[in-house]
Amino acid sequence: MPAVKGDGMRGLAVFISDIRNCKSKEAEIKRINKELANVRSKFKGDKTLDGYQKKKYVCKLLFIFLLGHDIDFGHMEAVNLLSSNKYTEKQIGYLFISVLVSANNELIKLVVQSIKNDLFGRNPIHICLALQCIANIGNKEMAEKLHDDIPKLLVSGDTIDSVKQSAALCLLRLLRQAPEAMQMGEWSARLIHLLNDQHMGVVTAATSLIESLVKRNPEDYKGCVSLAVSRLSRIVTSSYTDLQDYTYYFVPAPWLSVKLLRLLQNYSPPEDAAVRTRLTECLETILNKAQEPPKAKKIQHSNAKNAVLFEAINLIIHMDSDPNLLVRACNQLGQFLQHRETNLRYLALESMCLLATSEFSHEAVKKHQETVITALKTERDVSVRQRAVDLLYAMCDRTNAEEIVAEMLSYLETADYSIREEMVLKVAILAEKYAIDYTWYVDTILNLIRIAGDYVSEEVWYRVIQIVINRDDVQGYAAKTVFEALQAPTCHENMVKVGGYILGEFGNLIAGDPRSSPAVQFQLLHSKFHLCSSSTKGLLLSTYVKFINLFPEIKPQIHEVLRSNNQLRNSDVELQQRAVEYLQLSSVTSTDVLATVLEEMPPFPERESSILAKLKKKKPAIEQQGEAKTSPRPKAQVNDDESVPTVPLSNLMQQESAAVPAPALVAPAASTDLLGLSTPAAPAQNSLPTSGGGLLVDVFDSFGSTAATQNGFTPGADEGFKNAEVVDTSYAIEDNIKQ
């Protein structure tokens, strides 16, 4: 055992040595129990214990606690040590309190009183011990009782620098623990002036405190901007020899520089021209220093230097007012894209995502497109590849949309599973937003379904259907393309959904070609029927009844399918009901009535795309920053003179079943919203219940005699047809399955 010098507490050293020499866990526990019994007896029986002995025994209890054993006594003795005038005894008391006394302990009131006594004392060492204890166990009660004492200590001219540092960080702790109890408004002006303090340690601690206060009440601390710029200027323009005590590997005060740059990001660019000019000079100096050769080869030097650089770039992006600085920042980040350090490449990609949203630096970011695409294909780290996807999405515009979408589709085939869903959403958004023509958009989405069908959400394929329905010039092409896609040996279910919907609406546009005759279309779709889920089967049955209207010549084939036991006796009540109702509808109604009921879907109203909304939910921070930087786009532009109606795709099979209106038997010009995309005037009486039996809707009675008379029918004209109860054949009831 090493020799004990001075006030070394020999008994504690012997106890620690005994514990270390124990050969087994049982021996250690036996020795600890013996010592606990000894300490307990001393505390209870010996009333003449002096401060040294109390300190020694409290230290033993603290050591036992650190070994993992519970301590249920000795707390009062530790509190008594706080009243000692000896540093070592007071230190051990505060240490025990900080480690073993919880914020809810009943002794906290005594501890707070001892802390107040030390704060009002003249000994700076005792004051620092009290402040350190507050910083360790500070709670709401402490904040309420000390919220005036600590600020006084911080701004007092008599307080030494080390105490000011501790006071600032102690206030920061209380501010985080109990912000409602810390009312700092009256101290704001005096706290701001701490940024001018001569001691760099005080400035560093005060900057952390002020930044936290600024986030709560920015207006109260607006005066800190000019002082922060002034202090930053002095640091940036100084050499590493000027601030030797605060220079880290030849970088002057890097931590303080980073804190000041973050503090300035809470405010808009300075309105004072002189302050703005000085800040611009600081940022230019930081960018210039980044180009200088390193003063040391150690990684600590480059880390400190790059930390200041990246924070300066974040401030440049936040200000978004100086094109020269933005372009220079972009060029600097471009150099990091091929750096050997993975962390630097990640940070560069992340910062460039923000730069891409600025009108001043967007073109500069686009120059690095090939490098980013290479990173997407070759990076080992999936998080870096994720940032590369984000940057490609951010830098995309009309000039490079086709190339970027093609590259993302190419990479999607081998992409990590963790990022595929987000990539699918981004490809879908870019394809819609920057499509040169609708045929390219349709090709892209169908290719997306083919490559990553499992990750294509309903919002995506809903959206392509909406656009096809709203655009007459693309309907024939979409029908032809989806027909060809369905001919593949293996076909994803989402492709079957899109194919069933589009062919059911516009299959007649390609029926003239013998290779895509009505019978071929029907057989192609029905060949996928047995492989699909119940929801898709329900959609295909709706397509079949649409085919009866479009192609009367294949009505017998479709009736045969609807009459089969697989449909009429299906265990799924939804499919059974559809088969029965569709069969009855197509059997008892006249051709004109059938054509009216099964007419084409009307165009969808214009609303915000829910694909973008879904992406924002996945990455709210980046998307919100991008929105703030870019000009508002009320519609997703598809070509130069037209816009795509941006319907919420989650509303395609809209609302819960109670919000779906029944089909109106009126001409197309007066047709109601069959999918429930617009707000129904009276949803209660026209809603479709979710239960099987209640889902039946009388075609005439649901809309009253007025609608029937307008179409040339009277309520009693055709009893057989009137009693044939059907559901909305225009896919309006798909929501019951989708939801």
Side-chain angles (χ1 to χ4, degrees):
M1 184 180 70
V4 179
K5 297 181 181 179
D7 192 18
M9 292 185 291
R10 182 177 181 83
L12 174 64
V14 171
F15 173 61
I16 293 174
S17 178
D18 290 347
I19 293 296
R20 289 176 176 173
N21 292 330
C22 289
K23 302 298 183 181
S24 64
K25 186 68 175 177
E26 291 75 13
E28 177 184 312
I29 294 175
K30 183 178 179 181
R31 179 68 182 88
I32 288 173
N33 288 336
K34 178 182 177 182
E35 191 63 38
L36 286 173
N38 176 54
V39 174
R40 193 187 298 271
S41 66
K42 291 291 183 182
F43 283 163
K44 283 187 175 181
D46 193 346
K47 303 298 183 181
T48 62
L49 287 177
D50 58 15
Y52 169 79
Q53 290 175 313
K54 286 183 181 179
K55 177 184 69 172
K56 180 178 65 174
Y57 292 134
V58 167
C59 275
K60 287 183 179 181
L61 293 179
L62 186 58
F63 179 72
I64 292 172
F65 175 79
L66 295 178
L67 289 176
H69 300 271
D70 292 332
I71 300 298
D72 57 2
F73 68 98
H75 298 75
M76 195 62 202
E77 285 72 14
V79 173
N80 291 336
L81 286 175
L82 300 182
S83 59
S84 173
N85 288 323
K86 289 187 178 181
Y87 170 74
T88 55
E89 294 175 10
K90 189 181 289 289
Q91 179 194 33
I92 295 301
Y94 275 123
L95 182 60
F96 187 94
I97 296 299
S98 298
V99 175
L100 274 87
V101 176
S102 66
N104 299 322
N105 194 293
E106 59 185 10
L107 294 175
I108 280 293
K109 291 184 179 180
L110 295 176
V111 173
V112 171
Q113 187 57 47
S114 297
I115 288 174
K116 292 193 78 166
N117 294 338
D118 284 333
L119 291 179
F120 291 142
R122 306 296 297 176
N123 191 327
I125 295 177
H126 293 175
I127 295 174
C128 284
L129 286 175
L131 290 172
Q132 289 166 9
C133 181
I134 297 171
N136 283 321
I137 63 171
N139 59 5
K140 185 176 181 180
E141 183 177 351
M142 285 188 177
E144 291 173 347
K145 293 186 177 181
L146 303 172
H147 71 277
D148 279 336
D149 301 330
I150 301 176
K152 286 179 184 177
L153 202 61
L154 176 58
V155 300
S156 172
D158 299 332
T159 307
I160 65 173
D161 294 330
S162 60
V163 174
K164 284 186 177 181
Q165 287 178 257
S166 298
L169 297 178
C170 183
L171 271 177
L172 181 59
R173 156 76 182 202
L174 293 179
L175 195 66
R176 290 172 177 171
Q177 288 294 108
E180 68 284 350
M182 301 298 293
Q183 302 300 325
M184 303 293 294
E186 61 181 296
W187 304 98
S188 58
R190 301 176 71 180
L191 289 176
I192 288 172
H193 283 284
L194 289 174
L195 295 176
N196 267 340
D197 198 278
Q198 296 298 315
H199 195 273
M200 295 289 286
V202 174
V203 178
T204 304
T207 304
S208 298
L209 174 62
I210 292 171
E211 184 185 4
S212 181
L213 291 168
V214 163
K215 293 184 183 301
R216 295 176 61 197
N217 300 301
E219 287 301 318
D220 291 349
Y221 298 89
K222 200 168 184 180
C224 72
V225 173
S226 59
L227 296 179
V229 171
S230 175
R231 175 62 73 172
L232 180 64
S233 177
R234 278 179 276 168
I235 296 173
V236 168
T237 56
S238 65
S239 66
Y240 65 89
T241 57
D242 297 334
L243 301 170
Q244 288 186 353
D245 292 340
Y246 289 88
T247 295
Y248 181 78
Y249 286 88
F250 303 99
V251 181
W255 284 275
L256 178 54
S257 299
V258 168
K259 289 176 184 291
L260 290 170
L261 290 165
R262 285 181 180 171
L263 176 60
L264 292 171
Q265 290 175 44
N266 292 287
Y267 293 98
S268 56
E271 297 176 0
D272 188 297
V275 177
R276 180 181 292 194
T277 301
R278 194 171 187 183
L279 177 57
T280 302
E281 290 173 354
C282 290
L283 296 173
E284 287 178 344
T285 303
I286 294 173
L287 292 175
N288 291 336
K289 285 186 176 182
Q291 300 294 332
E292 297 175 359
K295 293 182 174 65
K297 293 183 178 180
K298 292 189 175 181
I299 189 66
Q300 291 91 336
H301 171 72
S302 61
N303 283 346
K305 187 177 176 181
N306 290 331
V308 177
L309 174 62
F310 274 103
E311 210 57 58
I313 291 175
N314 287 340
L315 178 56
I316 292 171
I317 295 170
H318 170 76
M319 293 168 59
D320 194 22
S321 58
D322 192 324
N324 179 51
L325 284 177
L326 287 164
V327 172
R328 286 194 62 187
C330 181
N331 294 336
Q332 182 63 51
L333 292 172
Q335 297 177 20
F336 288 138
L337 291 179
Q338 296 177 313
H339 199 278
R340 60 188 180 88
E341 285 290 332
T342 303
N343 288 337
L344 282 180
R345 296 197 300 273
Y346 179 93
L347 291 172
L349 289 166
E350 188 175 47
S351 297
M352 289 186 80
C353 286
L354 300 177
L355 277 173
T357 62
S358 171
E359 59 179 323
F360 301 117
S361 55
H362 184 78
E363 291 299 321
V365 172
K366 284 170 58 179
K367 294 178 181 178
H368 302 283
Q369 179 178 320
E370 293 302 323
T371 306
V372 178
I373 290 174
T374 302
L376 180 65
K377 296 177 178 178
T378 60
E379 277 289 348
R380 290 184 175 184
D381 194 318
V382 64
S383 62
V384 181
R385 295 197 296 272
Q386 172 76 70
R387 296 286 81 79
V389 171
D390 293 340
L391 181 52
L392 286 174
Y393 174 76
M395 71 167 61
C396 188
D397 59 22
R398 292 189 186 285
T399 62
N400 58 4
E402 288 196 28
E403 183 180 356
I404 287 178
V405 168
E407 292 290 349
M408 292 176 76
L409 281 173
S410 174
Y411 174 68
L412 192 56
E413 298 189 38
T414 57
D416 299 82
Y417 294 108
S418 59
I419 65 174
R420 285 194 180 185
E421 183 180 1
E422 187 178 327
M423 282 193 68
V424 166
L425 289 174
K426 289 184 173 179
V427 169
I429 291 171
L430 294 178
E432 176 184 338
K433 194 173 183 180
Y434 300 116
I436 298 174
D437 57 60
Y438 291 98
T439 58
W440 176 76
Y441 170 76
V442 171
D443 288 338
T444 300
I445 299 301
L446 294 183
N447 201 20
L448 192 63
I449 295 173
R450 180 186 62 80
I451 294 173
D454 289 338
Y455 300 90
V456 175
S457 62
E458 292 184 338
E459 288 87 351
V460 175
W461 72 266
Y462 288 173
R463 185 65 182 142
V464 70
I465 287 173
Q466 291 172 10
I467 290 178
V468 170
I469 287 176
N470 284 20
R471 296 292 306 184
D472 295 339
D473 55 346
V474 78
Q475 292 167 357
Y477 180 82
K480 174 178 175 295
T481 306
V482 77
F483 175 79
E484 294 172 351
L486 287 172
Q487 291 178 321
T490 56
C491 191
H492 195 274
E493 187 167 338
N494 281 335
M495 186 71 78
V496 177
K497 292 177 182 178
V498 175
Y501 204 118
I502 291 179
L503 291 179
E505 295 290 333
F506 312 113
N508 59 308
L509 300 179
I510 60 171
D513 190 332
R515 294 170 296 181
S516 56
S517 64
V520 173
Q521 291 184 42
F522 172 69
Q523 291 299 331
L524 179 61
L525 283 176
H526 197 56
S527 66
K528 316 289 183 183
F529 188 88
H530 66 289
L531 301 173
C532 298
S533 63
S534 295
S535 60
T536 307
K537 287 179 179 179
L539 188 148
L540 289 178
L541 289 178
S542 297
T543 299
Y544 297 166
V545 77
K546 287 269 188 172
F547 276 173
I548 293 177
N549 177 49
L550 294 177
F551 316 120
E553 63 271 24
I554 62 171
K555 182 176 179 179
Q557 297 171 254
I558 296 174
H559 274 190
E560 183 179 347
V561 170
L562 295 177
R563 286 196 185 97
S564 66
N565 287 337
N566 290 338
Q567 306 307 328
L568 295 182
R569 298 185 180 181
N570 198 302
S571 59
D572 189 312
V573 65
E574 173 69 24
L575 296 180
Q576 182 189 93
Q577 182 174 332
R578 288 191 182 216
V580 170
E581 293 177 358
Y582 291 163
L583 180 62
Q584 190 72 0
L585 172 66
S586 58
S587 299
V588 303
T589 57
S590 65
T591 304
D592 292 338
V593 172
L594 191 63
T596 303
V597 174
L598 303 177
E599 64 188 3
E600 288 184 8
M601 288 294 295
F604 292 92
E606 296 184 7
R607 291 185 188 174
E608 181 187 3
S609 174
S610 65
I611 307 180
L612 191 58
K614 183 171 183 177
L615 184 61
K616 288 178 184 177
K617 288 181 182 178
K618 292 178 70 64
K619 308 192 77 175
I622 292 178
E623 295 301 327
Q624 286 173 5
Q625 286 172 338
E627 269 193 7
K629 300 291 182 184
T630 54
S631 57
R633 294 189 180 97
K635 300 175 183 177
Q637 299 297 319
V638 175
N639 53 35
D640 292 334
D641 58 349
E642 294 171 319
S643 60
V644 175
T646 50
V647 186
L649 302 188
S650 57
N651 289 344
L652 184 63
M653 306 303 182
Q654 237 287 335
Q655 308 286 337
E656 294 295 335
S657 58
V660 181
L665 301 182
V666 292
S671 57
T672 58
D673 181 5
L674 296 182
L675 293 183
L677 290 168
S678 59
T679 305
Q685 61 268 33
N686 290 337
S687 59
L688 297 181
T690 54
S691 62
L695 194 62
L696 302 179
V697 179
D698 190 325
V699 178
F700 286 111
D701 289 351
S702 294
F703 293 90
S705 59
T706 303
T709 306
Q710 290 175 348
N711 287 275
F713 295 96
T714 58
D718 189 338
E719 287 298 322
F721 177 67
K722 178 179 177 180
N723 294 327
E725 298 179 309
V726 298
V727 295
D728 180 358
T729 55
S730 299
Y731 311 103
I733 60 174
E734 290 299 327
D735 67 306
N736 291 306
I737 301 173
K738 299 300 178 188
Q739 297 295 340

